[in-house]
């Protein structure tokens, strides 16, 4: 019994020590992340360890979070978690504790910045407080796009998933409009497009300067300037170049050209044709979103060309 307790205490100490080593490495920018990461020799590989993220892409769902993560992973000073972790928004994951969360992170070299993305964090009420409890200095990336277009994309994804499982689904207009023709403010996908509400919760826990807003529509048009902004925010050396992207006419989007390795586009679930939404319903949606959008612009100190 006594031995079990001693063993458990030792394990806990070991885990804590490892966590603080990772955090210390992240905060002391010595050596500079990109330069350190360039040292991809056998010794460096042996030094690889799993660290808590120094930056998290918190949303928005369907905003371009996968594209942002993949593009950021082009930077040699960044190690990204490929799969969405859903730690701060799912109880069954959160219950497993920080040790479990860290185990979901990729192996990283000393000085590399670990990044994970889970778009579900943005609208999850408990996520801001939980993220802060993990690390009050973590940097947050929020990629937004026109919230009306985001809603249609959100619906299209759910429709696609349900079709795949052979489940029926109602047309978008039936979900978005009430029988009297007014917008149904309770529709989940619409709720997720009320950016100001969700951002408000994050701003209660984090200073504005710790949240970098990426323009998802601009990222589609030309990824490089947005990525340069992210590098600056994360204090990474400028290593991502315009030559890391090329426009793929078949896909209709920019794809990635890593310095070493295969060129690649995002999978077919990203950038697929949207479900139809009639002009009248779209007009109502845009009118409904006008005020929430304005409040979001005030919060971030920036205006977006949304409908
Ligand atoms: P659509 O499928 O509605 O076009 P997320 O990764 O957060 O789910 O976001 C998906 C969205 O990323 C896609 O929405 C697409 O518009 C956008 N996106 C941005 N850059 C992209 C790229 N280079 N390739 C594919 N999709 C991209």
């Amino acid at each position: 019994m006594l031995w079990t307790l001693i063993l458990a205490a030792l394990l806990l100490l070991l885990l804590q020590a490892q966590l603080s080593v990772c955090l210390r490495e992240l905060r002391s920018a010595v050596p500079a992340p990109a330069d350190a990461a360039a040292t991809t020799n056998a010794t460096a590989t042996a030094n690889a360890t799993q660290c808590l993220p120094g930056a998290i892409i918190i949303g928005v769902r369907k905003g371009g979070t996968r594209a942002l993560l993949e593009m950021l992973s082009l930077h040699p000073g960044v190690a990204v978690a490929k799969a969405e972790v859903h730690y701060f928004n799912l109880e069954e994951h959160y219950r497993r504790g920080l040790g479990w969360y860290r185990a979901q992170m990729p192996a990283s070299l000393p000085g590399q910045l670990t990044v994970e993305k889970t778009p579900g964090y943005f609208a999850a009420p408990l996520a801001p407080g939980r993220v802060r409890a993990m690390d009050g200095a973590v940097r947050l990336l929020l990629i937004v796009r026109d919230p009306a277009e985001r809603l249609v994309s959100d619906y299209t994804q759910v429709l696609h998933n349900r079709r795949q499982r052979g489940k029926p689904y109602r047309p978008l207009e039936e979900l978005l409009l009430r029988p009297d023709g007014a917008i149904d403010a309770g529709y989940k996908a619409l709720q997720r497009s009320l950016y100001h509400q969700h951002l408000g919760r994050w701003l209660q826990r984090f200073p504005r300067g710790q949240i970098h807003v990426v323009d998802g529509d601009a990222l589609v048009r030309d990824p490089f300037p947005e990525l340069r902004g992210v590098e600056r925010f994360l204090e990474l050396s400028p290593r991502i170049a315009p030559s890391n992207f090329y426009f793929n006419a078949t896909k209709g989007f920019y794809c990635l050209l890593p310095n070493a390795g295969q060129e690649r586009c995002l999978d077919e679930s990203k950038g697929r044709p949207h479900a139809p939404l009639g002009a009248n319903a779209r007009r109502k949606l845009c009118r409904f979103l006008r005020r929430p959008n304005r409040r979001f612009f005030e919060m971030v100190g920036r205006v977006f060309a949304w409908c």
Side-chain angles (χ1 to χ4, degrees):
M1 178 66 181
L2 184 65
W3 280 111
T4 319
L5 278 174
I6 293 172
L7 203 64
L10 278 173
L11 275 174
L12 205 69
L13 278 173
L14 196 70
L15 184 71
Q16 273 189 331
Q18 266 195 293
L19 287 180
S20 57
V21 165
C22 288
L23 288 172
R24 252 201 323 276
E25 276 168 2
L26 279 176
R27 300 227 170 90
S28 70
V30 185
D35 301 337
T39 323
T40 48
N41 56 27
T43 325
T45 312
N47 281 339
T49 170
Q50 285 166 290
C51 294
L52 289 174
I56 306 177
I57 301 173
I58 55 172
V60 300
R61 180 177 146 102
K62 304 316 293 173
T65 54
R66 173 59 59 186
L68 181 60
L69 185 83
E70 294 287 335
M71 289 169 180
L72 196 50
S73 76
L74 294 168
H75 197 290
V78 171
V80 306
K82 286 280 176 195
E84 292 180 7
V85 184
H86 292 275
Y87 175 65
F88 299 105
N89 60 330
L90 288 188
E91 295 312 306
E92 56 172 305
H93 288 172
Y94 194 67
R95 262 200 303 271
R96 293 176 187 167
L98 271 185
W100 179 87
Y101 183 49
R102 193 168 64 90
Q104 311 312 306
M105 295 303 140
S108 57
L109 299 171
Q112 260 189 325
L113 178 75
T114 297
V115 181
E116 79 117 328
K117 81 112 176 163
T118 300
Y121 291 159
F122 185 52
L126 297 180
R130 287 174 170 182
V131 173
R132 201 199 146 91
M134 175 196 69
D135 181 4
V138 71
R139 281 176 251 202
L140 305 173
L141 294 165
L142 174 68
I143 178 163
V144 290
R145 79 192 276 195
D146 184 321
E149 213 49 49
R150 194 218 67 80
L151 178 149
V152 181
S153 176
D154 194 331
Y155 169 84
T156 305
Q157 171 161 313
V158 177
L159 173 75
H160 186 84
N161 293 345
R162 290 189 68 98
R163 271 194 190 141
Q164 268 190 335
R165 281 184 267 131
K167 291 190 169 173
Y169 209 56
R170 291 157 65 196
L172 174 54
E173 286 183 33
E174 248 183 71
L175 296 166
L176 180 63
L177 303 176
R178 296 191 317 225
D180 66 0
I183 291 285
D184 183 349
Y187 175 38
K188 266 266 159 58
L190 176 57
Q191 287 286 322
R192 286 194 282 265
S193 275
L194 303 179
Y195 301 158
H196 72 291
Q197 280 184 3
H198 310 302
L199 183 64
R201 277 195 309 273
W202 287 91
L203 288 175
Q204 282 171 10
R205 305 287 184 160
F206 290 94
R208 171 69 187 91
Q210 223 166 299
I211 307 175
H212 180 70
V213 179
V214 176
D215 182 341
D217 298 304
L219 188 89
V220 170
R221 286 192 300 272
D222 181 7
F224 174 68
E226 293 304 310
L227 266 295
R228 184 45 56 89
V230 172
E231 282 178 334
R232 229 176 280 128
F233 171 70
L234 297 177
E235 295 177 275
L236 294 165
S237 53
R239 296 290 290 271
I240 300 173
S243 57
N244 287 129
F245 308 103
Y246 72 99
F247 188 77
N248 184 310
T250 316
K251 169 95 180 153
F253 283 88
Y254 275 89
C255 296
L256 281 68
L257 272 173
N259 293 330
Q262 285 267 300
E263 54 185 70
R264 62 180 196 276
C265 297
L266 300 198
D267 73 34
E268 68 279 1
S269 72
K270 307 295 176 186
R272 62 186 154 204
H274 283 179
L277 177 64
N280 194 28
R282 189 175 283 268
R283 243 191 322 274
K284 286 181 185 173
L285 175 60
C286 288
R287 204 175 316 128
F288 181 91
L289 285 170
R290 215 168 282 156
R291 191 172 298 172
N293 288 350
R294 215 175 306 129
R295 292 188 59 190
F296 178 74
F297 298 160
E298 284 161 13
M299 282 170 142
V300 297
R302 193 168 153 192
V303 174
F304 294 84
W306 294 341
C307 77

